[in-house]
Amino acid sequence: MTATPEPIEQIEPIDPIDEDYLRLDQQLCFALNAASRAFGGLYRVLLKDLGLTYPQYLVMLVLWEHGELPVKKLGEHLRLDSGTLSPLLKRLEAAGLVRRERSSRDERSVHIHLTDEGAALRERALLVPRRIAAATGFGLDEIRDLQARLDRLTTALDQASLKDTPTCP
């Protein structure tokens, strides 16, 4: 069970003398953004040999794990809407890695299938997670702990909506 964020008026006030709370290096969002950008740079280098961008790699990971999926379900796994996902899928299809096919049961639904070339790319991609893990300098337990903490953070942030959070006076 995830804790609901406290309303702002119930949060202990910040001591005006302690200005550290407004320093850039004290912002969790900045640390996460900086780490994300650093990961992006490393993935860009590692995925170049596979001919994939990072978002395309994420699509392929889901398809390698789950096989053929409707676009809607693929978007749910990736937390992407169809407007963002469609251009990615078109580029992957143009590269010969996936095939888009309308459902025979529901014309509105498009299913994504791996091609033989897309399925074969999985073997070459196996080194990517190992290289990423090595680059972090973290052990397997540390990586799993960080993933669990980030999952908890994501869940908590998903549950906290701006409309339910009172604004500061």
Side-chain angles (χ1 to χ4, degrees):
M1 183 171 179
T2 304
T4 309
E6 296 179 33
I8 287 181
E9 54 272 350
Q10 292 179 5
I11 297 174
E12 187 175 319
I14 297 172
D15 183 349
I17 296 171
D18 191 355
E19 295 177 13
D20 281 352
Y21 286 107
L22 294 179
R23 287 177 43 134
L24 181 62
D25 64 354
Q26 296 299 310
Q27 305 305 306
L28 178 59
C29 57
F30 183 74
L32 288 169
N33 187 311
S36 179
R37 291 175 54 88
F39 267 114
L42 182 56
Y43 272 105
R44 200 170 7 269
V45 171
L46 295 177
L47 296 174
K48 187 176 183 179
D49 291 340
L50 300 178
L52 296 174
T53 63
Y54 178 69
Q56 291 170 342
Y57 174 68
L58 295 179
V59 168
M60 296 302 290
L61 286 174
V62 173
L63 293 172
W64 290 328
E65 182 179 351
H66 297 282
E68 174 262 325
L69 285 173
V71 171
K72 183 177 179 177
K73 196 60 134 174
L74 183 60
E76 288 171 7
H77 284 288
L78 295 169
R79 301 174 61 111
L80 294 174
D81 61 39
S82 62
T84 303
L85 195 51
S86 290
L88 287 172
L89 296 172
K90 285 180 183 176
R91 286 193 293 278
L92 287 169
E93 186 174 42
L97 300 175
V98 302
R99 187 178 79 255
R100 295 179 300 158
E101 191 174 288
R102 291 227 173 260
S103 169
S104 57
R105 292 183 200 166
D106 181 358
E107 283 288 317
R108 298 169 296 176
S109 180
V110 175
H111 290 247
I112 307 302
H113 304 263
L114 285 169
T115 62
D116 290 343
E117 186 179 344
L121 187 60
R122 184 180 185 282
E123 282 300 311
R124 292 180 44 216
L126 286 172
L127 287 178
V128 172
R130 290 185 183 132
R131 289 182 173 167
I132 292 292
T136 68
F138 292 174
L140 185 57
D141 288 342
E142 290 175 297
I143 290 172
R144 287 187 176 144
D145 180 58
L146 179 58
Q147 284 176 311
R149 288 171 182 255
L150 290 172
D151 287 345
R152 281 188 12 233
L153 175 62
T154 300
T155 299
L157 294 175
D158 281 347
Q159 291 179 354
S161 69
L162 292 177
K163 65 182 178 189
D164 292 335
T165 304
T167 57
C168 294

